[in-house]
Each structure stands twice: as C-alpha cells, then as structure tokens.
Amino acid sequence: MTEESNNPYDICTWRPASECEGCSIAGQLKCRFNWGDLLHFMAMFFAFAIPAVIGVIRGGYGWYLLGWAAFLMIFFQLWEIRILCSHCPYYAEKGRTLHCIANYGSFKAWKYHPEPISKAETIQLIIGFIILGGYPFPFLLLGGQFAWALVAAWGLFLFFWTLRKYTCSQCVNFSCFLNAVPQQVVDEYLARNPVMREAWEASGWQAGGER
Ligand code: SF4
Ligand code: SF4
C-alpha cells in the first residue's frame, strides 16, 4: 500500500516525510510518529499505575483492580478514542489500528472527525480523566496504604505535569482542553491540511484568532 492510499484525508502527518522539508513549523510539533515519544508517554503512565496497583493489592483490595482494568479498556478503546482521538490527525490514517504517540495499537471503531472537539466532549473527557486517575485512591486509603497512595499521587502529578509541558505543548490534537500549542503554529498546520481547516472553519475557527 502506498503512503498516499494510506492517507485519505491528505493529512501532512501521513504524507511522505520528504514533504516536511522546508516546513516552517518542523520541530515545533510532535507531528510524525516516533517510538521515543510513545515510550516516554507509557513510562510516565506506569510511574503512576504501578505504585497504585502494588498499594491496592497490598491493602487487600486487589480484585477491585479488575474494575479499573475494565474501565481502562472501555475508556481507551471506545469512549476516549471517540471524544478525543477521533479528532486527531494521527487518527486520520487509513486502517483500523491507531498508530500514534500515546494510544498506539487501539482499534479505531469510529470514523475520523476533522472538526474540533466539542464542549460536550471536553466535559466527558474531564470526567473520564478524573475516574481514570482517581479510581485506585479510595482502595489505597481503605487498605491503609498511605505511603503507596502518596507515591501514586506523586506519579499522577508528574504524569500530567510532564504531559502538559512536553507533549501538550507540541500535540497535533489542537482542540483538546490540555493543548498548549501556540496559535501561529496551529494556523500553519491547518494551512497545510485543507480537510481539517475546512472543518475547523465550519466550526467557527479563524486563522490569527485567540486560542
Ligand atoms: S507540520 Fe506537517 S509538514 Fe510540517 S513537519 Fe509536521 S508533518 Fe511535516
Ligand atoms: S489525541 Fe493523543 S492519544 Fe489520541 S490519537 Fe492523538 S496523539 Fe494519539
């Protein structure tokens, strides 16, 4: 399969890398898949999840981790992938599997949505993140695992802090509420991606506006 046939929405992230030569925003975005970015994301998530799992098991509530695992499956495979990822340029690649720097390997049950994330989706996303990050803590506290709760809380803080500083500041899913890419870079990316730009304009976006 050629790279072109793999890119039905003509998103520059999925064009041949040779077309990035001369791009004025090259290096300012995580706009091409990179294993280092994916591994960094996973390492930061596990720095929170591993102490949380250890603490919950030590506290005698290990079986309740099945509920967390089920939520993670539903959230990343069905819910979050619709309200967040389906709007992302990485999602626009042809095929049923997501190849991106965070949710790599997830099944793409939904179609690509080039328009920005809506307010209702943002609210759902915040609720989902609260459940995702908060789930282990009641069990850590009920089990008396205060030290592990502190380590997990620190891991969760570091996860979001590094995510916001090093990923959200360069992430191509610009309409996410955590996204911190400068407006001028967003404008330039959209100028290179007509399908996205048209969908954004139809939603009221204007180049040169405020973020
Ligand atoms: S914005 Fe598009 S064209 Fe520019 S470097 Fe990134 S993927 Fe390449
Ligand atoms: S929003 Fe993040 S996790 Fe979702 S497809 Fe884009 S890069 Fe991947």
Side-chain angles (χ1 to χ4, degrees), residues 9 26 36 39 84 109 122 125 153 156 158 181 198 206:
Y9 298 93
L39 291 175
L84 175 69
T122 298
L125 199 55
L156 187 60
L158 280 184
V181 173
E198 277 169 29
Q206 287 179 329

mmCIF file with all atom_site columns, all heavy atoms in Angstrom, residues 9 26 36 39 84 109 122 125 153 156 158 181 198 206:
data_model
loop_
_atom_site.group_PDB
_atom_site.id
_atom_site.type_symbol
_atom_site.label_atom_id
_atom_site.label_alt_id
_atom_site.label_comp_id
_atom_site.label_asym_id
_atom_site.label_entity_id
_atom_site.label_seq_id
_atom_site.pdbx_PDB_ins_code
_atom_site.Cartn_x
_atom_site.Cartn_y
_atom_site.Cartn_z
_atom_site.occupancy
_atom_site.B_iso_or_equiv
_atom_site.pdbx_formal_charge
_atom_site.auth_seq_id
_atom_site.auth_comp_id
_atom_site.auth_asym_id
_atom_site.auth_atom_id
_atom_site.pdbx_PDB_model_num
ATOM 1   N N   . TYR A 1 9   ? -7.402  11.541 3.928  1.00 0.00 ? 9   TYR A N   1
ATOM 2   C CA  . TYR A 1 9   ? -7.750  12.942 4.216  1.00 0.00 ? 9   TYR A CA  1
ATOM 3   C C   . TYR A 1 9   ? -6.586  13.889 3.911  1.00 0.00 ? 9   TYR A C   1
ATOM 4   O O   . TYR A 1 9   ? -6.637  15.056 4.247  1.00 0.00 ? 9   TYR A O   1
ATOM 5   C CB  . TYR A 1 9   ? -8.185  13.097 5.681  1.00 0.00 ? 9   TYR A CB  1
ATOM 6   C CG  . TYR A 1 9   ? -9.418  12.286 6.004  1.00 0.00 ? 9   TYR A CG  1
ATOM 7   C CD1 . TYR A 1 9   ? -9.302  10.997 6.529  1.00 0.00 ? 9   TYR A CD1 1
ATOM 8   C CD2 . TYR A 1 9   ? -10.693 12.787 5.758  1.00 0.00 ? 9   TYR A CD2 1
ATOM 9   C CE1 . TYR A 1 9   ? -10.433 10.237 6.807  1.00 0.00 ? 9   TYR A CE1 1
ATOM 10  C CE2 . TYR A 1 9   ? -11.826 12.036 6.029  1.00 0.00 ? 9   TYR A CE2 1
ATOM 11  C CZ  . TYR A 1 9   ? -11.687 10.753 6.553  1.00 0.00 ? 9   TYR A CZ  1
ATOM 12  O OH  . TYR A 1 9   ? -12.809 10.002 6.824  1.00 0.00 ? 9   TYR A OH  1
ATOM 13  N N   . ALA A 1 26  ? 8.355   22.673 11.338 1.00 0.00 ? 26  ALA A N   1
ATOM 14  C CA  . ALA A 1 26  ? 9.019   21.394 11.607 1.00 0.00 ? 26  ALA A CA  1
ATOM 15  C C   . ALA A 1 26  ? 9.821   21.534 12.903 1.00 0.00 ? 26  ALA A C   1
ATOM 16  O O   . ALA A 1 26  ? 10.496  22.534 13.116 1.00 0.00 ? 26  ALA A O   1
ATOM 17  C CB  . ALA A 1 26  ? 9.938   21.032 10.454 1.00 0.00 ? 26  ALA A CB  1
ATOM 18  N N   . GLY A 1 36  ? 10.166  7.016  20.480 1.00 0.00 ? 36  GLY A N   1
ATOM 19  C CA  . GLY A 1 36  ? 10.642  7.651  21.712 1.00 0.00 ? 36  GLY A CA  1
ATOM 20  C C   . GLY A 1 36  ? 9.513   8.373  22.425 1.00 0.00 ? 36  GLY A C   1
ATOM 21  O O   . GLY A 1 36  ? 9.381   8.281  23.657 1.00 0.00 ? 36  GLY A O   1
ATOM 22  N N   . LEU A 1 39  ? 7.206   5.713  24.013 1.00 0.00 ? 39  LEU A N   1
ATOM 23  C CA  . LEU A 1 39  ? 7.789   5.078  25.198 1.00 0.00 ? 39  LEU A CA  1
ATOM 24  C C   . LEU A 1 39  ? 7.815   6.047  26.382 1.00 0.00 ? 39  LEU A C   1
ATOM 25  O O   . LEU A 1 39  ? 7.582   5.655  27.525 1.00 0.00 ? 39  LEU A O   1
ATOM 26  C CB  . LEU A 1 39  ? 9.209   4.564  24.879 1.00 0.00 ? 39  LEU A CB  1
ATOM 27  C CG  . LEU A 1 39  ? 9.218   3.380  23.914 1.00 0.00 ? 39  LEU A CG  1
ATOM 28  C CD1 . LEU A 1 39  ? 10.649  3.006  23.540 1.00 0.00 ? 39  LEU A CD1 1
ATOM 29  C CD2 . LEU A 1 39  ? 8.490   2.170  24.506 1.00 0.00 ? 39  LEU A CD2 1
ATOM 30  N N   . LEU A 1 84  ? -11.856 12.176 21.952 1.00 0.00 ? 84  LEU A N   1
ATOM 31  C CA  . LEU A 1 84  ? -10.564 12.866 21.819 1.00 0.00 ? 84  LEU A CA  1
ATOM 32  C C   . LEU A 1 84  ? -9.837  12.428 20.540 1.00 0.00 ? 84  LEU A C   1
ATOM 33  O O   . LEU A 1 84  ? -9.610  13.227 19.629 1.00 0.00 ? 84  LEU A O   1
ATOM 34  C CB  . LEU A 1 84  ? -9.683  12.563 23.048 1.00 0.00 ? 84  LEU A CB  1
ATOM 35  C CG  . LEU A 1 84  ? -8.261  13.122 23.008 1.00 0.00 ? 84  LEU A CG  1
ATOM 36  C CD1 . LEU A 1 84  ? -8.270  14.642 23.113 1.00 0.00 ? 84  LEU A CD1 1
ATOM 37  C CD2 . LEU A 1 84  ? -7.416  12.539 24.158 1.00 0.00 ? 84  LEU A CD2 1
ATOM 38  N N   . ALA A 1 109 ? -12.759 2.122  16.052 1.00 0.00 ? 109 ALA A N   1
ATOM 39  C CA  . ALA A 1 109 ? -14.148 1.739  15.766 1.00 0.00 ? 109 ALA A CA  1
ATOM 40  C C   . ALA A 1 109 ? -14.914 2.880  15.099 1.00 0.00 ? 109 ALA A C   1
ATOM 41  O O   . ALA A 1 109 ? -15.937 2.654  14.466 1.00 0.00 ? 109 ALA A O   1
ATOM 42  C CB  . ALA A 1 109 ? -14.844 1.333  17.060 1.00 0.00 ? 109 ALA A CB  1
ATOM 43  N N   . THR A 1 122 ? -15.491 17.659 25.651 1.00 0.00 ? 122 THR A N   1
ATOM 44  C CA  . THR A 1 122 ? -14.489 18.097 26.624 1.00 0.00 ? 122 THR A CA  1
ATOM 45  C C   . THR A 1 122 ? -14.931 17.764 28.040 1.00 0.00 ? 122 THR A C   1
ATOM 46  O O   . THR A 1 122 ? -14.136 17.282 28.863 1.00 0.00 ? 122 THR A O   1
ATOM 47  C CB  . THR A 1 122 ? -14.241 19.616 26.484 1.00 0.00 ? 122 THR A CB  1
ATOM 48  O OG1 . THR A 1 122 ? -13.729 19.869 25.180 1.00 0.00 ? 122 THR A OG1 1
ATOM 49  C CG2 . THR A 1 122 ? -13.265 20.114 27.529 1.00 0.00 ? 122 THR A CG2 1
ATOM 50  N N   . LEU A 1 125 ? -14.474 14.189 28.624 1.00 0.00 ? 125 LEU A N   1
ATOM 51  C CA  . LEU A 1 125 ? -13.051 13.872 28.741 1.00 0.00 ? 125 LEU A CA  1
ATOM 52  C C   . LEU A 1 125 ? -12.549 14.150 30.159 1.00 0.00 ? 125 LEU A C   1
ATOM 53  O O   . LEU A 1 125 ? -11.824 13.335 30.745 1.00 0.00 ? 125 LEU A O   1
ATOM 54  C CB  . LEU A 1 125 ? -12.284 14.735 27.730 1.00 0.00 ? 125 LEU A CB  1
ATOM 55  C CG  . LEU A 1 125 ? -10.881 14.318 27.339 1.00 0.00 ? 125 LEU A CG  1
ATOM 56  C CD1 . LEU A 1 125 ? -10.846 12.886 26.834 1.00 0.00 ? 125 LEU A CD1 1
ATOM 57  C CD2 . LEU A 1 125 ? -10.351 15.277 26.263 1.00 0.00 ? 125 LEU A CD2 1
ATOM 58  N N   . ALA A 1 153 ? 0.091   9.260  43.947 1.00 0.00 ? 153 ALA A N   1
ATOM 59  C CA  . ALA A 1 153 ? -0.364  10.646 43.721 1.00 0.00 ? 153 ALA A CA  1
ATOM 60  C C   . ALA A 1 153 ? 0.763   11.472 43.097 1.00 0.00 ? 153 ALA A C   1
ATOM 61  O O   . ALA A 1 153 ? 0.525   12.274 42.184 1.00 0.00 ? 153 ALA A O   1
ATOM 62  C CB  . ALA A 1 153 ? -0.821  11.269 45.037 1.00 0.00 ? 153 ALA A CB  1
ATOM 63  N N   . LEU A 1 156 ? 1.034   10.465 39.529 1.00 0.00 ? 156 LEU A N   1
ATOM 64  C CA  . LEU A 1 156 ? -0.064  11.045 38.740 1.00 0.00 ? 156 LEU A CA  1
ATOM 65  C C   . LEU A 1 156 ? 0.216   12.522 38.444 1.00 0.00 ? 156 LEU A C   1
ATOM 66  O O   . LEU A 1 156 ? 0.013   12.998 37.315 1.00 0.00 ? 156 LEU A O   1
ATOM 67  C CB  . LEU A 1 156 ? -1.382  10.895 39.502 1.00 0.00 ? 156 LEU A CB  1
ATOM 68  C CG  . LEU A 1 156 ? -2.655  11.303 38.770 1.00 0.00 ? 156 LEU A CG  1
ATOM 69  C CD1 . LEU A 1 156 ? -2.843  10.473 37.503 1.00 0.00 ? 156 LEU A CD1 1
ATOM 70  C CD2 . LEU A 1 156 ? -3.869  11.135 39.691 1.00 0.00 ? 156 LEU A CD2 1
ATOM 71  N N   . LEU A 1 158 ? 3.198   13.953 38.331 1.00 0.00 ? 158 LEU A N   1
ATOM 72  C CA  . LEU A 1 158 ? 4.303   14.030 37.366 1.00 0.00 ? 158 LEU A CA  1
ATOM 73  C C   . LEU A 1 158 ? 3.837   13.666 35.957 1.00 0.00 ? 158 LEU A C   1
ATOM 74  O O   . LEU A 1 158 ? 4.283   14.247 34.968 1.00 0.00 ? 158 LEU A O   1
ATOM 75  C CB  . LEU A 1 158 ? 5.446   13.081 37.771 1.00 0.00 ? 158 LEU A CB  1
ATOM 76  C CG  . LEU A 1 158 ? 6.385   13.593 38.853 1.00 0.00 ? 158 LEU A CG  1
ATOM 77  C CD1 . LEU A 1 158 ? 7.514   12.591 39.061 1.00 0.00 ? 158 LEU A CD1 1
ATOM 78  C CD2 . LEU A 1 158 ? 6.956   14.969 38.509 1.00 0.00 ? 158 LEU A CD2 1
ATOM 79  N N   . VAL A 1 181 ? -0.315  24.364 22.234 1.00 0.00 ? 181 VAL A N   1
ATOM 80  C CA  . VAL A 1 181 ? 0.447   24.777 21.045 1.00 0.00 ? 181 VAL A CA  1
ATOM 81  C C   . VAL A 1 181 ? 0.111   26.234 20.708 1.00 0.00 ? 181 VAL A C   1
ATOM 82  O O   . VAL A 1 181 ? -1.068  26.615 20.710 1.00 0.00 ? 181 VAL A O   1
ATOM 83  C CB  . VAL A 1 181 ? 0.103   23.853 19.846 1.00 0.00 ? 181 VAL A CB  1
ATOM 84  C CG1 . VAL A 1 181 ? 0.754   24.357 18.569 1.00 0.00 ? 181 VAL A CG1 1
ATOM 85  C CG2 . VAL A 1 181 ? 0.533   22.424 20.143 1.00 0.00 ? 181 VAL A CG2 1
ATOM 86  N N   . GLU A 1 198 ? -11.044 23.238 6.668  1.00 0.00 ? 198 GLU A N   1
ATOM 87  C CA  . GLU A 1 198 ? -12.450 23.469 6.306  1.00 0.00 ? 198 GLU A CA  1
ATOM 88  C C   . GLU A 1 198 ? -13.383 23.086 7.447  1.00 0.00 ? 198 GLU A C   1
ATOM 89  O O   . GLU A 1 198 ? -14.349 23.788 7.748  1.00 0.00 ? 198 GLU A O   1
ATOM 90  C CB  . GLU A 1 198 ? -12.800 22.669 5.051  1.00 0.00 ? 198 GLU A CB  1
ATOM 91  C CG  . GLU A 1 198 ? -12.387 23.390 3.786  1.00 0.00 ? 198 GLU A CG  1
ATOM 92  C CD  . GLU A 1 198 ? -12.494 22.498 2.561  1.00 0.00 ? 198 GLU A CD  1
ATOM 93  O OE1 . GLU A 1 198 ? -13.350 21.592 2.567  1.00 0.00 ? 198 GLU A OE1 1
ATOM 94  O OE2 . GLU A 1 198 ? -11.708 22.716 1.624  1.00 0.00 ? 198 GLU A OE2 1
ATOM 95  N N   . GLN A 1 206 ? -11.038 30.818 13.185 1.00 0.00 ? 206 GLN A N   1
ATOM 96  C CA  . GLN A 1 206 ? -10.454 31.759 12.222 1.00 0.00 ? 206 GLN A CA  1
ATOM 97  C C   . GLN A 1 206 ? -8.960  31.825 12.437 1.00 0.00 ? 206 GLN A C   1
ATOM 98  O O   . GLN A 1 206 ? -8.501  31.916 13.596 1.00 0.00 ? 206 GLN A O   1
ATOM 99  C CB  . GLN A 1 206 ? -11.019 33.157 12.438 1.00 0.00 ? 206 GLN A CB  1
ATOM 100 C CG  . GLN A 1 206 ? -12.457 33.301 11.983 1.00 0.00 ? 206 GLN A CG  1
ATOM 101 C CD  . GLN A 1 206 ? -12.982 34.707 12.228 1.00 0.00 ? 206 GLN A CD  1
ATOM 102 O OE1 . GLN A 1 206 ? -12.576 35.374 13.155 1.00 0.00 ? 206 GLN A OE1 1
ATOM 103 N NE2 . GLN A 1 206 ? -13.884 35.145 11.361 1.00 0.00 ? 206 GLN A NE2 1
#
